[in-house]
């Protein structure tokens, strides 16, 4: 990509020149310092029985094959971060296919065939998904959601740099995008990154690692409240400055009851696809009894609210209660514990189905909770609709988003695009 154009869009050329001085202090001439940082990242995660997802620029695999093979053997989930660190939004289908093919060839040397990818700068275009699908990738993390957690009174120039980054990444605010996996073209599951990341806090906002922890804990609180996913991004060169903040985040996640599911992006992809295939069934037995047959899988989380059940449910979160996994049960209710979609568009029906609600048909429609949606139903309408369902007092049954009773999900990811100062300085020349 045109590096001057990128620097201007991202931070401004002046700020970027100052950043080079900082970068030179973080990286060593050899890869030794960054190898230590990545080992530390895996060690911190292991302290809390977690594994990170590392999106690695594949030319680094060619230069450090044994090291990345060792990280994979320690449980790191490796994905593709381009072959070189270039802007894929400027590349067409065939060009992106070529870059991804070269990346996979590099990974194959160490016996890996990644199914996930994240493009550099979180930049992509309409051709991205087709190119990735042609190579049988299953999941990505290219979109992003930024959370309203930066509450401090900060200098205008710092905030301007932060917002430049959000604009560069085409990040969407939490008010307009739910932080959940979403199928895009080519049957690719895109799992959004959560901002602010370490780069935003330390470099754009000019704060320290402690503030990164403050913002990340606020994000965890918010995603937990909403039952959504937090996909943290921490770069290897900032691990020494953020390791304690990462520990605080993981410690807080492990302490939550109900729990937070800490998973790799590959595990989230596998779970989301398995869950999408499940079909629960609600049958009316008489005027006040409904038989629910959930998926026959002990990982499934089945929730009920505002109704007595047989066997008894147990408290879970808010008004929702949890049923024993994989066992049929009875709901006692004067109304159908389901939603009625009427003439809702297909996009709304797909969303409701993906959210795990039971949808009424035939004679039970009149006794189900009616939902009203506009003719056009897009992503920005999803959170308002979800909130409107939560506000009702209608009995409902639901297949929850996450496995084994978890309230929300957390993925620790790292973009590894340079292992030395030499790697970083040669990036603009590698296209």
């Amino acid at each position: 990509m045109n590096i001057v154009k990128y620097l201007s869009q991202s931070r401004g050329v002046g700020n970027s020149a100052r950043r080079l001085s900082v970068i030179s202090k973080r990286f060593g001439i050899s890869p030794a310092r960054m190898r230590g940082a990545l080992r530390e990242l895996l060690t911190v995660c292991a302290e809390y029985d977690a594994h990170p997802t590392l999106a690695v620029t594949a030319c680094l695999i060619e230069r450090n094959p044994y090291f990345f093979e060792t990280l994979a053997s320690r449980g790191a989930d490796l994905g593709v971060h381009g072959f070189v660190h270039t802007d894929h939004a400027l590349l067409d289908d065939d060009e992106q296919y070529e870059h991804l093919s070269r990346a996979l060839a590099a990974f194959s040397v160490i016996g890996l065939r990644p199914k996930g990818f994240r493009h550099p700068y979180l930049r992509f275009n309409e051709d991205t998904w087709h190119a990735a699908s042609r190579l049988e990738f299953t999941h990505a993390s290219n979109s992003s959601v930024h959370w309203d957690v930066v509450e401090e009174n900060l200098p205008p120039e710092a905030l301007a740099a932060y917002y430049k980054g959000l604009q560069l990444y085409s990040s969407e605010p939490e008010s307009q995008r739910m932080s959940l996996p979403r199928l895009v073209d080519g049957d690719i599951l895109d799992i959004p990154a959560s901002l602010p990341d370490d780069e935003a806090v330390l470099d754009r906002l000019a704060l320290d690692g402690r503030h990164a922890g403050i913002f990340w804990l606020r994000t965890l609180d918010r995603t937990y409240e909403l039952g959504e996913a937090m996909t943290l991004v921490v770069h290897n060169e900032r691990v020494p400055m953020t390791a304690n903040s990462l520990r605080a985040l993981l410690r807080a996640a492990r302490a939550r009851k109900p729990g937070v599911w800490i998973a790799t992006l590959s595990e989230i992809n596998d779970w989301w696809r398995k869950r999408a295939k499940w079909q629960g069934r609600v049958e009316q037995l008489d005027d006040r009894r409904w038989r629910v047959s959930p998926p026959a899988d002990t990982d499934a989380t089945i929730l009920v609210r505002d109704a007595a059940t047989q066997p008894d449910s147990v408290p879970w979160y808010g008004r929702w209660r949890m049923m024993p996994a994989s066992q049929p049960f009875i709901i006692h209710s004067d109304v159908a514990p389901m939603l009625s979609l009427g003439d809702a568009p297909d996009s709304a029906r797909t969303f409701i189905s993906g959210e795990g609600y039971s949808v009424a048909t035939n004679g039970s429609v009149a006794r189900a909770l009616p939902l009203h949606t506009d003719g056009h139903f897009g992503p920005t309408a999803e959170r308002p609709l979800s909130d409107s369902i939560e506000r009702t007092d209608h009995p409902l049954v639901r297949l929850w988003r996450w496995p084994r009773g978890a309230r929300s999900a957390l993925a620790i990811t790292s973009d590894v695009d340079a292992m030395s100062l030499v790697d970083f300085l040669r990036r603009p020349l590698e296209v």
Side-chain angles (χ1 to χ4, degrees):
M1 75 182 291
N2 185 313
I3 189 63
V4 175
K5 179 179 179 181
Y6 166 71
L7 294 177
S8 176
Q9 290 177 340
S10 175
R11 296 178 180 83
V13 176
N15 286 336
S16 297
R18 287 188 289 273
R19 182 171 180 258
L20 286 176
S21 174
V22 174
I23 290 296
S24 65
K25 297 175 182 177
R26 293 178 182 167
F27 288 95
I29 297 299
S30 78
R33 189 178 299 176
M34 291 303 98
R35 288 176 179 173
L38 285 168
R39 291 189 189 103
E40 183 178 13
L41 175 62
L42 265 67
T43 297
V44 171
C45 290
E47 291 172 6
Y48 297 91
D49 192 25
H51 298 283
T53 294
L54 309 180
V56 185
T57 305
C59 61
L60 302 179
I61 302 284
E62 293 184 335
R63 297 169 196 160
N64 308 269
Y66 176 73
F67 174 71
F68 284 104
E69 186 177 8
T70 301
L71 295 186
S73 71
R74 289 184 57 186
D77 172 37
L78 268 60
V80 172
H81 195 48
F83 178 71
V84 295
H85 203 264
T86 194
D87 185 353
H88 284 241
L90 304 180
L91 305 179
D92 64 22
D93 188 341
D94 289 338
E95 291 169 325
Q96 292 189 65
Y97 179 89
E98 179 185 358
H99 275 260
L100 290 172
S101 296
R102 293 177 67 190
L104 290 176
F107 275 88
S108 70
V109 172
I110 62 172
L112 296 180
R113 204 302 181 187
K115 291 292 188 179
F117 71 100
R118 174 187 282 152
H119 278 340
Y121 316 110
L122 299 177
R123 299 267 290 168
F124 62 96
N125 58 30
E126 293 180 357
D127 290 328
T128 295
W129 312 120
H130 184 244
S133 180
R134 288 164 63 191
L135 290 165
E136 299 182 347
F137 282 93
T138 60
H139 60 281
S141 182
N142 281 334
S143 63
S144 63
V145 175
H146 57 272
W147 297 89
D148 189 16
V149 295
V150 182
E151 302 170 358
E152 285 69 8
N153 185 17
L154 299 172
E157 58 271 20
L159 290 173
Y162 175 57
Y163 290 122
K164 270 182 175 288
L166 298 182
Q167 183 177 16
L168 175 74
Y169 304 145
S170 300
S171 182
E172 299 174 89
E174 60 171 284
S175 61
Q176 297 182 20
R177 166 72 186 268
M178 298 181 76
S179 186
L180 295 172
R182 183 185 305 273
L183 280 174
V184 294
D185 292 344
D187 198 37
I188 305 290
L189 190 75
D190 189 64
I191 305 164
S194 297
L195 302 178
D197 61 355
D198 60 337
E199 189 262 358
V201 180
L202 273 68
D203 292 358
R204 294 180 183 275
L205 295 174
L207 298 171
D208 55 20
R210 182 180 64 87
H211 275 95
I214 292 171
F215 296 155
W216 295 345
L217 287 169
R218 290 174 184 169
T219 304
L220 179 68
D221 287 344
R222 185 71 177 134
T223 52
Y224 189 81
E225 174 191 354
L226 296 169
E228 297 179 15
M230 176 182 179
T231 303
L232 180 72
V233 183
V234 56
H235 295 74
N236 50 318
E237 69 267 25
R238 301 184 191 87
V239 168
M241 294 163 278
T242 59
N244 285 334
S245 290
L246 178 57
R247 283 189 175 93
L249 177 69
L250 289 166
R251 184 166 55 247
R254 287 298 185 204
R256 294 296 177 97
K257 302 295 180 186
V260 176
W261 182 41
I262 305 176
T264 65
L265 294 186
S266 291
E267 289 170 332
I268 291 175
N269 170 72
D270 292 344
W271 161 255
W272 205 259
R273 290 178 182 277
K274 181 173 79 166
R275 176 181 170 275
K277 296 176 182 178
W278 286 340
Q279 295 291 329
R281 188 170 71 252
V282 179
E283 304 169 278
Q284 185 173 3
L285 299 181
D286 55 39
D287 286 346
R288 295 203 70 257
R289 292 190 306 152
W290 309 80
R291 178 184 173 86
V292 180
S293 300
D297 194 305
T298 55
D299 284 345
T301 303
I302 309 300
L303 305 178
V304 174
R305 75 168 200 201
D306 300 335
T309 61
Q310 181 184 354
D312 290 339
S313 57
V314 297
W316 185 69
Y317 186 86
R319 293 156 54 202
W320 291 95
R321 299 175 67 87
M322 189 166 65
M323 298 302 303
S326 74
Q327 299 298 318
F329 60 93
I330 304 298
I331 293 179
H332 298 275
S333 172
D334 293 330
V335 296
M338 295 180 278
L339 303 177
S340 173
L341 300 185
D343 58 355
D346 289 343
S347 54
R349 293 178 179 275
T350 299
F351 171 69
I352 290 298
S353 175
E355 284 288 84
Y357 291 105
S358 294
V359 176
T361 57
N362 302 327
S364 61
V365 171
R367 303 174 65 194
L369 175 64
L371 293 186
H372 303 285
T373 58
D374 295 332
H376 173 74
F377 184 89
T380 58
E382 292 174 355
R383 191 179 300 286
L385 180 60
S386 180
D387 290 345
S388 70
I389 296 171
E390 283 292 319
R391 288 193 296 267
T392 69
D393 57 4
H394 191 98
L396 290 173
V397 61
R398 182 177 188 182
L399 170 61
W400 182 238
R401 298 164 180 157
W402 311 114
R404 300 179 294 280
R407 171 63 186 172
S408 65
L410 169 64
I412 307 300
T413 72
S414 180
D415 292 352
V416 184
D417 47 52
M419 291 293 291
S420 68
L421 182 59
V422 174
D423 287 337
F424 185 85
L425 292 177
R426 72 195 295 180
R427 280 186 356 188
L429 307 176
E430 298 174 322
V431 294

